[in-house]
Amino acid sequence: MKNVFDKIQALDEVPSYSKHERFVEGIINAIDAKVIVIGDPLPSVNAMISGLGYARETVMKGYRELQRRGIIESKNRLGYFVSNDNTRHALKVAVLMYTIDTFQDQFYRSFRNGLDENVHADVFFHHGNIEVFEAIFSMVKAKYGMYVISPIHHPRTKELLNGIPRNKLVMFDRYEPLDGKFNYVVQEFEKSSYAIFEQVADVIKKYDEMIFFHNPDSLFPPEIVRSFKKFIKNYGIKGKVLREYIPGSVEKGVVYYVNENAELWNLLKDCDTKKIKPGKDIGILSHNDEPVKEIVGNGITTYSVSFAEMGKRVARAVMKHEQVSEVIPTELIRRNSL
């Protein structure tokens, strides 16, 4: 039984865990590692108190929770025994996403479809706000069997994510570095954006100027801004970054790189009003594809990863408990606007 104690005490390295959380997760980890199997006895309450230095109530509370989950059972006057090695039975997954939008919805639908019917997924939105991110963490820590997280680019993110055991974490969408090995299915922004810009460079050069609308306070990846500035410099293209699209300001001879949908709709509305034809009088490029962009403006040229594929891959990692380190490829979707 020494290894059971070892699995519990190994979680001392997760400072955000309470003793109760270490106890429950440690026993689950021991079952997952096949240190103990169905039918094996667990240390008695007194043995746990002696071996761990935990209070009796902490041990009893932990055993009650494991019973409630159907993982262990109590046999009268014989103690506690492992009754189920499927620790993912009635698995609860916490999904932390940026916000509600079309491509995030594509991810979630694909992810949800890839989970077994008995898996329960709770979705939380942090909106790129670190205070909200931290509040969600304090609410969900050690209460879920898996954590599927789209992280924030912030100095405090690493510390928060280090509070999750690596075998219970799958990072998705944005990559943030952590110590050691961890699971992720993400997209890459800087090199991939530059490569896309190069693919359409010949078309862009047919226009007089390229304008990139970017609000520095938005959730849009700053790596793409760097790629844009590097691209226009290296290719000798006249270009600039503006904070936002001002309705009515559309001009012929410009390639507009627009990513906020509200700005894209305003741009297209102005094109219709002024009889300006995208793909002829102006060019339009957008990041992140979604079905509506196939239709509006006679088709908007985009570049994007497949969020449906990302969701499918993350679901597989959750269900099969497999190691994954994957960057979903970014692809150019050529349509009539560029």
Side-chain angles (χ1 to χ4, degrees), residues 243-261:
R243 187 180 183 90
E244 62 183 347
Y245 173 73
I246 305 299
S249 64
V250 63
E251 295 180 357
K252 292 183 178 182
V254 178
V255 174
Y256 293 97
Y257 181 19
V258 188
N259 295 287
E260 294 291 337
N261 280 348

Side-chain angles (χ1 to χ4, degrees), residues 201-255:
D202 289 346
V203 180
I204 292 172
K205 284 185 174 182
K206 295 178 181 178
Y207 294 87
D208 301 325
E209 184 180 17
M210 185 174 186
I211 296 178
F212 177 15
F213 295 110
H214 169 65
N215 184 340
D217 298 325
S218 73
L219 302 178
F220 194 74
E223 300 97 314
I224 298 180
V225 183
R226 293 197 293 268
S227 288
F228 174 78
K229 291 180 178 179
K230 179 181 177 182
F231 168 70
I232 60 174
K233 179 181 178 181
N234 290 349
Y235 278 77
I237 292 170
K238 181 182 178 182
K240 59 187 174 185
V241 179
L242 298 180
R243 187 180 183 90
E244 62 183 347
Y245 173 73
I246 305 299
S249 64
V250 63
E251 295 180 357
K252 292 183 178 182
V254 178
V255 174

Side-chain angles (χ1 to χ4, degrees), residues 252-293:
K252 292 183 178 182
V254 178
V255 174
Y256 293 97
Y257 181 19
V258 188
N259 295 287
E260 294 291 337
N261 280 348
E263 293 185 318
L264 179 59
W265 310 151
N266 283 331
L267 174 64
L268 291 173
K269 181 179 178 181
D270 289 342
C271 286
D272 186 59
T273 299
K274 295 186 177 184
K275 308 300 181 185
I276 292 175
K277 186 175 180 180
K280 180 181 178 182
D281 301 318
I282 67 168
I284 302 176
L285 176 66
S286 181
H287 186 239
N288 291 330
D289 196 44
E290 49 194 296
V292 70
K293 292 179 182 177

Side-chain angles (χ1 to χ4, degrees), residues 20 34 36 46 74 99 102 105 120 126-127 146 154-155 174 210 221 246 251 258 288 291 303 320 323 333:
H20 166 72
K34 301 192 182 305
I36 45 177
N46 288 336
S74 174
T99 187
T102 306
D105 182 63
H120 179 82
H126 56 67
H127 303 286
M146 288 294 293
H154 192 279
R174 182 180 182 88
M210 185 174 186
I246 305 299
E251 295 180 357
V258 188
N288 291 330
Y303 71 98
K320 294 187 177 181
Q323 294 292 316
I333 302 99

Side-chain angles (χ1 to χ4, degrees), residues 34-292:
K34 301 192 182 305
V35 170
I36 45 177
V37 298
I38 292 176
D40 281 352
L42 289 159
S44 68
V45 172
N46 288 336
M48 285 291 196
I49 293 169
S50 175
L52 298 172
Y54 287 5
R56 179 174 295 275
E57 179 55 30
T58 300
V59 175
M60 292 299 299
K61 181 181 176 184
Y63 274 149
R64 285 196 298 269
E65 179 170 336
L66 289 165
Q67 280 184 283
R68 180 179 59 79
R69 295 191 191 184
I71 295 172
I72 69 171
E73 62 182 348
S74 174
K75 296 182 179 179
N76 190 31
R77 290 196 284 191
L78 292 176
Y80 296 96
F81 293 79
V82 178
S83 61
N84 187 353
D85 61 3
N86 180 13
T87 59
R88 310 178 94 66
H89 175 70
L91 174 66
K92 291 179 65 179
V93 183
V95 184
L96 276 66
M97 304 176 70
Y98 266 87
T99 187
I100 303 172
D101 55 36
T102 306
F103 51 88
Q104 292 284 332
D105 182 63
Q106 290 174 16
F107 166 85
Y108 181 73
R109 287 177 182 273
S110 177
F111 170 72
R112 178 66 260 186
N113 288 339
L115 301 179
D116 290 349
E117 290 184 2
N118 66 331
V119 175
H120 179 82
D122 288 331
V123 182
F124 305 88
F125 297 101
H126 56 67
H127 303 286
N129 184 305
I130 192 62
E131 283 74 25
V132 175
F133 200 60
E134 289 178 325
I136 294 172
F137 256 83
S138 66
M139 181 170 59
V140 303
K141 71 173 184 178
K143 293 185 174 70
Y144 289 83
M146 288 294 293
Y147 297 83
V148 174
I149 298 176
S150 181
I152 296 173
H153 183 55
H154 192 279
R156 298 210 293 270
T157 295
K158 181 177 180 179
E159 179 182 353
L160 291 169
L161 294 184
N162 279 337
I164 300 175
R166 291 293 189 264
N167 66 326
K168 298 183 186 302
L169 170 66
V170 182
M171 184 186 297
F172 79 96
D173 195 3
R174 182 180 182 88
Y175 178 88
E176 287 293 315
L178 300 176
D179 297 332
K181 291 184 178 180
F182 62 96
N183 296 318
Y184 59 85
V185 182
V186 297
Q187 59 178 313
E188 191 279 329
F189 298 105
E190 192 158 357
K191 293 180 180 178
S192 59
S193 293
Y194 190 86
I196 296 298
F197 295 151
E198 286 192 309
Q199 288 185 53
V200 292
D202 289 346
V203 180
I204 292 172
K205 284 185 174 182
K206 295 178 181 178
Y207 294 87
D208 301 325
E209 184 180 17
M210 185 174 186
I211 296 178
F212 177 15
F213 295 110
H214 169 65
N215 184 340
D217 298 325
S218 73
L219 302 178
F220 194 74
E223 300 97 314
I224 298 180
V225 183
R226 293 197 293 268
S227 288
F228 174 78
K229 291 180 178 179
K230 179 181 177 182
F231 168 70
I232 60 174
K233 179 181 178 181
N234 290 349
Y235 278 77
I237 292 170
K238 181 182 178 182
K240 59 187 174 185
V241 179
L242 298 180
R243 187 180 183 90
E244 62 183 347
Y245 173 73
I246 305 299
S249 64
V250 63
E251 295 180 357
K252 292 183 178 182
V254 178
V255 174
Y256 293 97
Y257 181 19
V258 188
N259 295 287
E260 294 291 337
N261 280 348
E263 293 185 318
L264 179 59
W265 310 151
N266 283 331
L267 174 64
L268 291 173
K269 181 179 178 181
D270 289 342
C271 286
D272 186 59
T273 299
K274 295 186 177 184
K275 308 300 181 185
I276 292 175
K277 186 175 180 180
K280 180 181 178 182
D281 301 318
I282 67 168
I284 302 176
L285 176 66
S286 181
H287 186 239
N288 291 330
D289 196 44
E290 49 194 296
V292 70

